[in-house]
Coordinates of all heavy atoms in Angstrom, one line a residue:
M1 N -14.3 16.4 8.8 CA -14.3 15.3 9.7 C -13.4 14.1 9.1 O -13.6 13.8 8.0 CB -15.7 14.8 10.0 CG -15.8 13.7 10.9 SD -17.6 13.3 11.2 CE -17.4 12.2 12.4
Q2 N -12.6 13.6 9.9 CA -11.7 12.5 9.5 C -12.5 11.1 9.6 O -13.3 10.9 10.5 CB -10.4 12.4 10.3 CG -9.4 11.5 9.8 CD -8.1 11.6 10.5 OE1 -8.0 12.3 11.5 NE2 -7.1 10.9 10.1
F3 N -12.2 10.3 8.7 CA -12.9 8.9 8.7 C -12.3 8.1 9.8 O -11.1 8.1 10.1 CB -12.6 8.2 7.3 CG -13.4 7.0 7.2 CD1 -14.7 7.0 6.8 CD2 -12.8 5.8 7.3 CE1 -15.5 5.9 6.7 CE2 -13.5 4.6 7.2 CZ -14.9 4.6 6.9
N4 N -13.2 7.4 10.5 CA -12.8 6.5 11.6 C -12.5 5.1 11.1 O -13.4 4.3 10.9 CB -13.9 6.5 12.6 CG -13.6 5.6 13.8 OD1 -12.5 5.1 14.0 ND2 -14.6 5.5 14.7
W5 N -11.2 4.8 11.0 CA -10.8 3.5 10.5 C -11.0 2.4 11.6 O -10.9 1.2 11.3 CB -9.3 3.5 10.1 CG -9.0 4.4 8.9 CD1 -8.3 5.5 8.9 CD2 -9.4 4.2 7.6 NE1 -8.3 6.1 7.7 CE2 -9.0 5.2 6.8 CE3 -10.2 3.2 7.0 CZ2 -9.2 5.3 5.5 CZ3 -10.4 3.3 5.6 CH2 -9.9 4.4 4.9
T6 N -11.2 2.8 12.8 CA -11.4 1.8 13.9 C -12.8 1.4 14.1 O -13.1 0.4 14.7 CB -10.9 2.4 15.2 OG1 -11.7 3.5 15.6 CG2 -9.4 2.8 15.2
G7 N -13.8 2.0 13.4 CA -15.2 1.6 13.5 C -15.5 0.5 12.6 O -15.0 0.3 11.5
P8 N -16.5 -0.3 13.0 CA -16.9 -1.4 12.2 C -17.4 -1.0 10.8 O -17.2 -1.8 9.8 CB -18.1 -2.1 13.0 CG -17.9 -1.5 14.3 CD -17.2 -0.2 14.3
A9 N -18.0 0.1 10.6 CA -18.4 0.6 9.3 C -17.3 0.7 8.3 O -17.5 0.5 7.1 CB -19.2 1.9 9.4
A10 N -16.1 0.9 8.7 CA -15.0 1.0 7.8 C -14.7 -0.3 7.1 O -14.0 -0.4 6.1 CB -13.7 1.5 8.6
Y11 N -15.2 -1.4 7.7 CA -14.8 -2.7 7.2 C -16.0 -3.5 6.7 O -15.9 -4.7 6.3 CB -14.1 -3.5 8.3 CG -12.9 -2.8 8.7 CD1 -12.9 -2.0 9.9 CD2 -11.7 -2.9 8.0 CE1 -11.8 -1.3 10.3 CE2 -10.6 -2.2 8.4 CZ -10.7 -1.4 9.5 OH -9.6 -0.7 9.9
A12 N -17.2 -2.8 6.6 CA -18.4 -3.5 6.2 C -18.4 -4.0 4.7 O -19.0 -5.0 4.4 CB -19.6 -2.5 6.3
H13 N -17.5 -3.4 3.9 CA -17.4 -3.8 2.5 C -16.5 -5.0 2.3 O -16.2 -5.4 1.2 CB -17.0 -2.6 1.6 CG -15.6 -2.2 1.9 ND1 -15.3 -1.4 3.0 CD2 -14.4 -2.4 1.3 CE1 -14.0 -1.1 3.0 NE2 -13.5 -1.7 2.0
M14 N -15.9 -5.6 3.4 CA -14.8 -6.5 3.2 C -15.2 -8.0 3.6 O -14.3 -8.8 3.7 CB -13.7 -6.2 4.2 CG -13.1 -4.8 3.9 SD -11.8 -4.6 5.2 CE -11.0 -3.2 4.5
P15 N -16.4 -8.4 3.6 CA -16.7 -9.8 4.1 C -16.1 -10.9 3.2 O -15.8 -12.0 3.7 CB -18.2 -9.9 4.1 CG -18.7 -8.8 3.1 CD -17.7 -7.7 3.2
D16 N -15.8 -10.6 1.9 CA -15.3 -11.6 1.1 C -13.8 -11.4 0.8 O -13.3 -12.0 -0.2 CB -16.1 -11.6 -0.3 CG -17.5 -12.0 -0.1 OD1 -17.8 -12.9 0.8 OD2 -18.4 -11.5 -0.7
Y17 N -13.2 -10.5 1.5 CA -11.7 -10.2 1.2 C -10.9 -11.4 1.6 O -11.1 -12.1 2.5 CB -11.3 -9.1 2.1 CG -11.4 -7.7 1.5 CD1 -12.5 -7.4 0.6 CD2 -10.6 -6.7 1.8 CE1 -12.6 -6.2 0.1 CE2 -10.7 -5.4 1.3 CZ -11.8 -5.2 0.4 OH -11.9 -3.9 -0.1
E18 N -9.9 -11.6 0.7 CA -8.8 -12.6 1.0 C -7.7 -12.0 1.8 O -7.7 -10.7 2.0 CB -8.2 -13.1 -0.4 CG -9.2 -13.8 -1.3 CD -9.7 -15.1 -0.8 OE1 -8.9 -15.8 -0.1 OE2 -10.8 -15.5 -1.1
A19 N -6.8 -12.7 2.3 CA -5.7 -12.2 3.1 C -4.9 -11.1 2.4 O -4.6 -10.0 3.0 CB -4.7 -13.3 3.5
A20 N -4.7 -11.2 1.1 CA -3.9 -10.2 0.3 C -4.7 -8.9 0.3 O -4.2 -7.8 0.3 CB -3.6 -10.7 -1.1
D21 N -6.1 -9.0 0.2 CA -6.9 -7.8 0.2 C -6.8 -7.1 1.5 O -6.7 -5.8 1.5 CB -8.4 -8.2 -0.1 CG -8.5 -8.9 -1.5 OD1 -7.9 -8.4 -2.4 OD2 -9.3 -9.8 -1.5
F22 N -6.8 -7.8 2.6 CA -6.7 -7.1 3.9 C -5.3 -6.5 4.0 O -5.2 -5.4 4.6 CB -6.9 -8.1 5.0 CG -8.3 -8.4 5.4 CD1 -8.9 -9.6 5.1 CD2 -9.1 -7.4 6.0 CE1 -10.3 -9.8 5.3 CE2 -10.5 -7.6 6.3 CZ -11.0 -8.9 5.9
A23 N -4.3 -7.2 3.5 CA -2.9 -6.6 3.6 C -2.9 -5.3 2.8 O -2.3 -4.3 3.3 CB -1.9 -7.6 3.1
A24 N -3.5 -5.3 1.6 CA -3.5 -4.1 0.8 C -4.2 -2.9 1.6 O -3.8 -1.8 1.5 CB -4.1 -4.3 -0.5
E25 N -5.3 -3.3 2.2 CA -6.1 -2.2 3.0 C -5.2 -1.7 4.1 O -5.2 -0.5 4.3 CB -7.3 -2.8 3.6 CG -8.4 -3.0 2.6 CD -9.1 -1.7 2.1 OE1 -9.1 -0.7 2.9 OE2 -9.7 -1.8 1.0
Y26 N -4.4 -2.5 4.8 CA -3.6 -2.1 5.8 C -2.5 -1.1 5.2 O -2.3 0.0 5.8 CB -2.9 -3.2 6.5 CG -1.7 -2.8 7.4 CD1 -2.0 -2.3 8.7 CD2 -0.4 -2.8 6.9 CE1 -0.9 -1.9 9.4 CE2 0.6 -2.4 7.7 CZ 0.4 -1.9 9.0 OH 1.4 -1.5 9.7
L27 N -1.9 -1.5 4.1 CA -0.8 -0.7 3.6 C -1.3 0.7 3.1 O -0.7 1.7 3.3 CB -0.1 -1.5 2.4 CG 0.7 -2.7 2.9 CD1 1.2 -3.4 1.6 CD2 1.8 -2.3 3.7
I28 N -2.5 0.7 2.4 CA -2.9 2.0 1.9 C -3.4 2.9 3.0 O -3.5 4.1 2.8 CB -4.0 1.8 0.8 CG1 -5.3 1.2 1.4 CG2 -3.5 1.1 -0.4 CD1 -6.4 1.2 0.4
R29 N -3.5 2.4 4.2 CA -3.9 3.2 5.3 C -2.7 3.6 6.2 O -2.8 4.3 7.2 CB -4.9 2.5 6.2 CG -6.2 2.3 5.5 CD -7.1 1.4 6.3 NE -8.3 1.0 5.4 CZ -9.4 0.6 5.9 NH1 -9.6 0.6 7.2 NH2 -10.4 0.2 5.1
N30 N -1.5 3.2 5.8 CA -0.3 3.4 6.6 C 0.4 4.6 5.9 O 0.9 4.5 4.8 CB 0.6 2.2 6.5 CG 1.8 2.3 7.4 OD1 2.6 3.2 7.2 ND2 2.0 1.4 8.3
D31 N 0.5 5.7 6.6 CA 1.1 6.9 6.1 C 2.6 6.7 5.7 O 3.0 7.3 4.6 CB 1.0 8.1 7.1 CG -0.4 8.5 7.3 OD1 -1.3 8.3 6.5 OD2 -0.7 9.1 8.4
E32 N 3.3 5.9 6.4 CA 4.7 5.7 6.0 C 4.8 4.9 4.7 O 5.7 5.2 3.8 CB 5.4 5.0 7.1 CG 5.6 5.8 8.4 CD 6.3 5.0 9.5 OE1 7.0 4.0 9.2 OE2 6.1 5.4 10.7
F33 N 4.0 4.0 4.5 CA 4.0 3.2 3.3 C 3.6 4.1 2.1 O 4.2 4.1 1.0 CB 3.0 2.0 3.4 CG 2.8 1.3 2.1 CD1 3.8 0.4 1.7 CD2 1.7 1.5 1.3 CE1 3.6 -0.4 0.5 CE2 1.6 0.8 0.1 CZ 2.5 -0.2 -0.3
V34 N 2.5 4.9 2.3 CA 2.1 5.8 1.2 C 3.2 6.8 0.8 O 3.4 7.0 -0.4 CB 0.8 6.5 1.6 CG1 0.4 7.6 0.7 CG2 -0.4 5.5 1.8
A35 N 3.9 7.3 1.8 CA 5.0 8.3 1.5 C 6.1 7.6 0.8 O 6.6 8.1 -0.2 CB 5.5 8.9 2.8
E36 N 6.4 6.4 1.2 CA 7.5 5.7 0.5 C 7.1 5.3 -1.0 O 7.9 5.4 -1.9 CB 7.9 4.4 1.3 CG 9.2 3.8 0.8 CD 9.8 2.8 1.8 OE1 9.4 2.8 2.9 OE2 10.7 2.1 1.3
C37 N 5.8 4.9 -1.1 CA 5.3 4.6 -2.5 C 5.4 5.9 -3.4 O 5.7 5.8 -4.6 CB 3.9 4.1 -2.4 SG 3.9 2.4 -1.9
S38 N 5.1 7.0 -2.8 CA 5.1 8.3 -3.5 C 6.5 8.5 -4.0 O 6.8 9.0 -5.2 CB 4.6 9.4 -2.7 OG 3.3 9.3 -2.5
Q39 N 7.5 8.3 -3.2 CA 8.9 8.4 -3.6 C 9.3 7.5 -4.7 O 9.9 7.9 -5.6 CB 9.8 8.2 -2.4 CG 9.8 9.3 -1.3 CD 10.6 8.9 -0.1 OE1 11.0 7.8 0.1 NE2 10.8 9.9 0.8
L40 N 8.8 6.2 -4.6 CA 9.1 5.3 -5.7 C 8.4 5.7 -7.0 O 9.0 5.6 -8.0 CB 8.6 3.9 -5.3 CG 9.4 3.0 -4.3 CD1 8.6 1.8 -3.9 CD2 10.7 2.7 -4.9
A41 N 7.2 6.2 -6.9 CA 6.5 6.6 -8.1 C 7.2 7.8 -8.7 O 7.3 7.9 -9.9 CB 5.1 7.0 -7.7
S42 N 7.8 8.7 -7.9 CA 8.5 9.8 -8.5 C 9.7 9.3 -9.2 O 10.0 9.8 -10.3 CB 8.9 10.8 -7.4 OG 7.8 11.4 -6.8
R43 N 10.5 8.4 -8.7 CA 11.6 7.9 -9.3 C 11.2 7.0 -10.5 O 11.9 7.1 -11.6 CB 12.5 7.0 -8.4 CG 13.2 7.8 -7.4 CD 14.2 6.9 -6.6 NE 13.6 5.8 -5.9 CZ 13.4 5.8 -4.6 NH1 13.8 6.9 -3.9 NH2 12.9 4.8 -4.0
G44 N 10.1 6.3 -10.4 CA 9.6 5.5 -11.6 C 9.2 6.4 -12.7 O 9.5 6.0 -13.9
A45 N 8.7 7.5 -12.5 CA 8.3 8.4 -13.5 C 9.5 8.9 -14.3 O 9.4 9.2 -15.5 CB 7.4 9.6 -13.0
Q46 N 10.6 9.1 -13.6 CA 11.8 9.6 -14.2 C 12.5 8.5 -15.0 O 13.1 8.8 -16.0 CB 12.8 10.1 -13.1 CG 12.2 11.3 -12.4 CD 13.0 11.7 -11.2 OE1 14.0 11.0 -10.8 NE2 12.6 12.7 -10.5
T47 N 12.5 7.2 -14.5 CA 13.2 6.2 -15.2 C 12.3 5.3 -16.1 O 12.8 4.5 -16.8 CB 13.9 5.3 -14.2 OG1 12.9 4.6 -13.4 CG2 14.8 6.1 -13.3
G48 N 11.0 5.4 -15.9 CA 10.1 4.5 -16.6 C 9.9 3.2 -15.9 O 9.1 2.3 -16.3
D49 N 10.6 3.0 -14.7 CA 10.4 1.7 -14.0 C 9.9 2.1 -12.6 O 10.1 3.2 -12.1 CB 11.8 1.0 -13.8 CG 12.4 0.5 -15.1 OD1 11.6 0.2 -16.0 OD2 13.6 0.5 -15.2
L50 N 9.2 1.2 -12.0 CA 8.7 1.3 -10.6 C 8.9 0.0 -9.9 O 8.1 -0.9 -10.1 CB 7.3 1.7 -10.6 CG 6.6 1.9 -9.2 CD1 7.3 3.0 -8.4 CD2 5.2 2.3 -9.4
Y51 N 10.0 -0.1 -9.2 CA 10.3 -1.3 -8.5 C 10.6 -1.0 -7.0 O 11.2 0.0 -6.7 CB 11.6 -2.0 -9.0 CG 11.4 -2.5 -10.4 CD1 12.0 -1.8 -11.5 CD2 10.7 -3.6 -10.7 CE1 11.9 -2.2 -12.8 CE2 10.5 -4.0 -12.1 CZ 11.1 -3.3 -13.1 OH 11.0 -3.7 -14.4
G52 N 10.2 -1.9 -6.1 CA 10.6 -1.7 -4.7 C 11.9 -2.4 -4.5 O 12.2 -3.5 -5.1
S53 N 12.8 -1.8 -3.7 CA 14.1 -2.5 -3.4 C 13.8 -3.7 -2.5 O 12.8 -3.9 -2.0 CB 15.0 -1.5 -2.7 OG 14.4 -1.2 -1.4
P54 N 14.9 -4.5 -2.4 CA 14.7 -5.6 -1.5 C 14.4 -5.2 0.0 O 13.6 -5.8 0.7 CB 16.1 -6.3 -1.5 CG 16.6 -6.0 -2.9 CD 16.1 -4.6 -3.2
D55 N 14.9 -4.0 0.4 CA 14.6 -3.5 1.7 C 13.1 -3.1 1.8 O 12.5 -3.3 2.8 CB 15.5 -2.2 2.0 CG 16.9 -2.6 2.3 OD1 17.2 -3.8 2.6 OD2 17.8 -1.7 2.2
F56 N 12.6 -2.5 0.7 CA 11.2 -2.1 0.6 C 10.3 -3.3 0.8 O 9.4 -3.4 1.5 CB 10.9 -1.3 -0.7 CG 9.5 -1.0 -0.8 CD1 9.0 0.2 -0.3 CD2 8.6 -1.8 -1.5 CE1 7.7 0.6 -0.5 CE2 7.3 -1.4 -1.7 CZ 6.8 -0.3 -1.2
A57 N 10.7 -4.4 0.0 CA 9.9 -5.6 0.0 C 9.9 -6.3 1.4 O 8.9 -6.7 1.9 CB 10.4 -6.6 -1.1
A58 N 11.1 -6.2 2.0 CA 11.2 -6.8 3.4 C 10.4 -6.0 4.4 O 9.8 -6.6 5.3 CB 12.7 -6.9 3.8
R59 N 10.4 -4.7 4.3 CA 9.8 -3.8 5.2 C 8.2 -3.9 5.1 O 7.5 -4.0 6.1 CB 10.3 -2.4 5.0 CG 9.9 -1.4 6.0 CD 10.7 -0.1 5.9 NE 11.0 0.4 4.5 CZ 12.2 0.3 3.9 NH1 13.2 -0.4 4.5 NH2 12.3 0.7 2.7
W60 N 7.8 -3.9 3.8 CA 6.3 -3.9 3.6 C 5.7 -5.1 3.1 O 4.5 -5.2 3.0 CB 6.0 -2.7 2.6 CG 6.5 -1.4 3.2 CD1 7.5 -0.6 2.7 CD2 5.9 -0.7 4.3 NE1 7.6 0.5 3.4 CE2 6.7 0.5 4.4 CE3 4.9 -0.9 5.2 CZ2 6.4 1.4 5.4 CZ3 4.6 0.0 6.1 CH2 5.4 1.2 6.2
G61 N 6.5 -6.1 2.7 CA 5.9 -7.3 2.1 C 5.3 -7.1 0.7 O 4.4 -7.8 0.3
A62 N 5.8 -6.1 0.0 CA 5.3 -5.7 -1.3 C 6.4 -5.3 -2.2 O 7.4 -4.7 -1.8 CB 4.3 -4.6 -1.2
R63 N 6.2 -5.6 -3.5 CA 7.1 -5.2 -4.5 C 6.3 -4.9 -5.8 O 5.4 -5.7 -6.1 CB 8.2 -6.2 -4.8 CG 9.2 -5.8 -5.9 CD 10.3 -6.7 -6.0 NE 11.4 -6.1 -5.1 CZ 12.5 -6.7 -4.8 NH1 12.7 -7.9 -5.2 NH2 13.4 -6.2 -4.0
F64 N 6.6 -3.8 -6.5 CA 5.9 -3.5 -7.7 C 6.6 -3.8 -8.9 O 7.8 -3.8 -8.9 CB 5.6 -2.0 -7.7 CG 4.8 -1.5 -6.5 CD1 5.4 -0.9 -5.4 CD2 3.4 -1.7 -6.4 CE1 4.7 -0.6 -4.3 CE2 2.7 -1.3 -5.4 CZ 3.3 -0.7 -4.2
H65 N 5.9 -4.2 -9.9 CA 6.4 -4.5 -11.2 C 6.1 -3.5 -12.3 O 5.0 -2.9 -12.2 CB 5.9 -5.9 -11.7 CG 6.2 -7.0 -10.7 ND1 7.4 -7.6 -10.7 CD2 5.4 -7.5 -9.8 CE1 7.4 -8.5 -9.7 NE2 6.2 -8.5 -9.2
N66 N 7.0 -3.2 -13.2 CA 6.7 -2.3 -14.3 C 5.7 -3.0 -15.2 O 5.9 -4.1 -15.7 CB 8.0 -2.0 -15.1 CG 7.8 -1.0 -16.1 OD1 6.7 -0.7 -16.5 ND2 8.9 -0.4 -16.6
C67 N 4.6 -2.3 -15.4 CA 3.5 -2.9 -16.2 C 3.5 -2.5 -17.6 O 2.6 -2.8 -18.4 CB 2.1 -2.5 -15.5 SG 1.9 -3.1 -13.9
H68 N 4.5 -1.9 -18.1 CA 4.6 -1.4 -19.5 C 5.1 -2.5 -20.4 O 5.9 -3.3 -20.1 CB 5.5 -0.1 -19.6 CG 4.8 1.0 -18.9 ND1 5.3 1.4 -17.6 CD2 3.8 1.8 -19.2 CE1 4.5 2.4 -17.2 NE2 3.6 2.6 -18.2

C-alpha cells in the first residue's frame, strides 16, 4: 500500500516546522527532484564534490555544499 501524502496524518508531525522544513518535505516527495539529486550524488561520488548547478538552484531553490 502506498502512503497517502494528501491525508492530514502525513503532516501531523509538522506543527513546529519552519518554512525551510516544509520546502524540504516538498522536495523529498518530488520524484523529479529525487532523480536529479541521485544524478548529482553519482557525479559527486566520482569527483568528491556535490554541488548543484545554477540551473539546479534556480529550478529547485536548493544547492548542496561539499561537507568534507
Side-chain angles (χ1 to χ4, degrees):
M1 179 177 190
Q2 188 172 7
F3 189 77
N4 180 4
W5 293 113
T6 62
Y11 304 95
H13 66 284
M14 300 178 167
D16 297 324
Y17 271 31
E18 300 289 332
D21 299 320
F22 278 110
E25 285 287 335
Y26 168 80
L27 290 174
I28 63 172
R29 296 173 190 204
N30 185 303
D31 292 337
E32 292 177 24
F33 175 78
V34 171
E36 195 166 343
C37 283
S38 292
Q39 291 174 345
L40 282 174
S42 293
R43 286 193 299 259
Q46 294 168 359
T47 65
D49 294 329
L50 179 61
Y51 296 105
S53 69
D55 290 340
F56 178 88
R59 193 168 34 262
W60 300 111
R63 181 170 269 171
F64 299 100
H65 301 279
N66 186 341
C67 297
H68 294 104

